[in-house]
Amino acid sequence: MLHQLSLRNRRAATAAAGVLALAAVGINTPADAATYGTPTITLSAAYLSGAVGATGDPVVTVTVAQSGADVTALGVAASASSKSSVAGTGDVTVTGTGATRQLAVAAHARGYTDLTIKVTGLGGKTATKTLHYAASAAVQNSADTRYLTGSSDASAAVDVGGGYAVVADDESNTLRLYSRSASGAPVKSWDVGSALGADKEIDIEGATRVGNTIYWTGSLGNNKDGEYKSDRNTVFTTTVTGSGAATQLTVGGSYRKLRDDLVAWDKANGNRYGFAAGTASGQVPKQIDGFNIEGLEFAPGSTTTAYLGFRAPLVPPSEGGKALIVPVTNFDKVAGSGTKAVIGTPIELDLGGLSIRDIRKNAADQYLIVAGSWAADDNSDPYALYSWDGVAGHAPVKRADLPTADPGGWEAVVDVPDLTAPGARAQLITDAGSADLYGDGTEAKDLDHAEWKKSRSVWFTVNS
């Protein structure tokens, strides 16, 4: 019993009890352990798209923290994959050691997987987030391919300097600013619909730049059901300030009767091109005798006369017909201030039975024409790239057949290099809205998440 112990032993027992009491309240544990909070982790995007074999796929920024801990002590890694055949944990790379890290995924196969991203903090505490990942198939020219995410229906593009381009989408009225060298989301966007009084899609299909003014045109045709929608009968301008990532756009003038002017002109000239029939109620625009504009560029040496490049009709409207260009000699005033169009002498070009999908020139009046089918099933139809000097009566020269094995139809050329320079390259962009990118039968334009929608840009050598 305690009262029978010596004084020395009683003191020892009392000290031992005190140590046990202190240990019970944590005094004997590491000084900081009780102060570590649960780590936090956030992703800059919950959805990410990549491609098998891609160069420079989009990345996600991971932000982590833990109260009481130096952020450099936190570890970030993928801890699980719902479908490792698409991308496993070992295919996720995280770089950086600070509060923000960069996460990249290397895809193995087309499809979807959910990746669990875990932060491990001090004291053994963890937290996770899920990254919903979609991978498209490998493509040709992968080293020269970049992906523009956030939209799948790219339809026109204009260079704004500093390695950036403004890209239009024919399924919305939003203009987006993208890096030309890196895959990823737009750095800025502008919805021009409200400024133009357009409630429905303008179906923007063509664009060109003169000085600080970008001119844009809708298709001017009926919709896919053969119905007239007034917003599609729109041409307009935007004013550019700044350049590169600092580019800003402001909506300028507009005009909503160019289609009417073209039909009236054709009627007055004997219905040579069938514009009245091509715009009639029930007429689908993407027919060989339809009415659909997809190219816009100014004539050589001019800042007033613009060429309208037609996807339909062909001339005559039969296999092997020629592509049609109709000049508007006062286009600067038409789009800029709403002046009635003055139509010039039409030009018919032999593009091997193909029509115009885009037309672009450089300061030396060297033109590139993206030629493709008038038909709507254009993801597999032939495409070709032609050069031209812009002069009526001069024949275009075929530069290359464009590859068609990969998803998307060739829709835009961003700018034109010096076509006399050896190894000159041009960047083309696809409209992939009708493509099944991920193998589940869903068209890209109908995907639930904008981050999974994408168009493809590819650099091609046009003078070897």
Side-chain angles (χ1 to χ4, degrees):
M1 296 180 65
L2 183 61
H3 67 272
Q4 295 176 325
L5 297 176
S6 67
L7 177 61
R8 176 179 294 180
N9 289 339
R10 288 201 303 270
R11 286 175 176 171
T14 301
V19 170
L20 291 172
L22 289 174
V25 297
I27 301 301
N28 236 17
T29 60
D32 294 333
T35 64
Y36 297 140
T38 300
T40 61
I41 178 171
T42 59
L43 307 179
S44 60
Y47 297 85
L48 182 67
S49 172
V52 178
T55 299
D57 252 349
V59 299
V60 168
T61 299
V62 183
T63 303
V64 294
Q66 184 183 26
S67 61
D70 186 330
V71 72
T72 60
L74 307 184
V76 179
S79 60
S81 171
S82 65
K83 193 170 185 179
S84 58
S85 60
V86 173
T89 57
D91 301 311
V92 178
T93 303
V94 180
T95 56
T97 58
T100 58
R101 320 280 175 96
Q102 298 297 307
L103 182 151
V105 183
H108 282 303
R110 185 169 69 157
Y112 301 94
T113 185
D114 284 346
L115 295 165
T116 302
I117 311 302
K118 178 190 285 188
V119 56
T120 301
L122 297 183
K125 296 182 177 180
T126 64
T128 62
K129 288 287 185 182
T130 299
L131 178 62
H132 307 284
Y133 182 72
S136 56
V139 297
Q140 301 175 69
N141 309 101
S142 61
D144 294 318
T145 297
R146 299 294 182 268
Y147 293 92
L148 313 180
T149 66
S151 165
S152 58
D153 297 85
S155 56
V158 175
D159 180 74
V160 291
Y164 286 78
V166 176
V167 181
D169 177 336
D170 60 19
E171 292 288 323
S172 74
N173 297 331
T174 300
L175 307 176
R176 297 175 174 86
L177 180 66
Y178 287 99
S179 168
R180 296 181 61 182
S181 60
S183 295
V187 297
K188 291 180 183 176
S189 61
W190 301 267
D191 186 342
V192 300
S194 59
L196 294 168
D199 297 326
K200 304 295 183 181
E201 68 186 49
I202 295 171
D203 192 24
I204 302 169
E205 293 288 359
T208 187
R209 180 176 181 177
V210 175
N212 291 326
T213 301
I214 301 178
Y215 296 85
W216 307 87
T217 182
S219 68
L220 309 191
N222 292 341
N223 69 10
K224 63 182 180 181
D225 298 318
E227 300 169 334
Y228 173 69
K229 300 294 182 181
S230 61
D231 289 339
R232 299 164 77 93
N233 187 7
T234 301
V235 295
F236 66 98
T237 68
T238 55
T239 300
V240 180
T241 55
S243 63
T247 296
Q248 293 291 342
L249 297 182
T250 304
V251 175
S254 64
Y255 185 59
R256 297 172 69 106
K257 292 187 176 180
L258 181 54
R259 161 174 155 150
D260 307 65
D261 296 343
L262 290 164
V263 171
W265 165 81
D266 192 42
K267 283 183 177 178
N269 287 273
N271 288 309
R272 179 177 177 182
Y273 298 113
F275 287 172
T279 57
S281 179
Q283 176 67 47
V284 176
K286 296 175 184 177
Q287 297 292 328
I288 200 166
D289 58 351
F291 182 95
N292 195 66
I293 291 170
E294 294 213 354
L296 175 65
E297 184 55 274
F298 280 84
S302 180
T303 59
T304 60
T305 297
Y307 289 159
L308 301 178
F310 282 74
R311 177 172 177 168
L314 285 183
V315 184
S318 58
E319 296 298 327
K322 292 183 178 180
L324 176 63
I325 289 176
V326 175
V328 176
T329 62
N330 62 337
F331 192 82
D332 59 324
K333 293 183 174 61
V334 172
S337 56
T339 301
K340 182 177 180 180
V342 178
I343 312 300
T345 303
I347 301 169
E348 299 171 10
L349 298 179
D350 184 356
L351 301 179
L354 301 177
S355 57
I356 294 171
R357 304 300 294 274
D358 198 17
I359 180 170
R360 178 73 68 247
K361 72 166 186 169
N362 60 21
D365 290 331
Q366 299 170 330
Y367 289 73
L368 284 177
I369 298 173
V370 179
S373 172
W374 48 265
D377 56 341
D378 54 9
N379 279 12
S380 59
D381 286 328
Y383 284 84
L385 192 64
Y386 284 80
S387 61
W388 185 44
D389 63 5
V391 177
H394 290 191
V397 176
K398 189 175 183 179
R399 293 271 175 163
D401 290 309
L402 296 173
T404 58
D406 299 317
W410 299 107
E411 194 79 2
V413 55
V414 181
D415 59 5
V416 178
D418 179 359
L419 297 180
T420 66
R425 303 204 309 165
Q427 189 176 33
L428 276 63
I429 301 177
T430 64
D431 178 340
S434 299
D436 175 10
L437 295 177
Y438 305 115
D440 63 346
T442 303
E443 290 190 353
K445 68 178 68 177
D446 296 327
L447 290 166
D448 291 334
H449 306 287
E451 296 89 344
W452 287 349
K453 299 179 180 181
K454 60 185 179 182
S455 297
R456 180 167 47 96
S457 70
V458 184
W459 291 91
F460 290 101
T461 299
V462 294
N463 187 7
S464 57

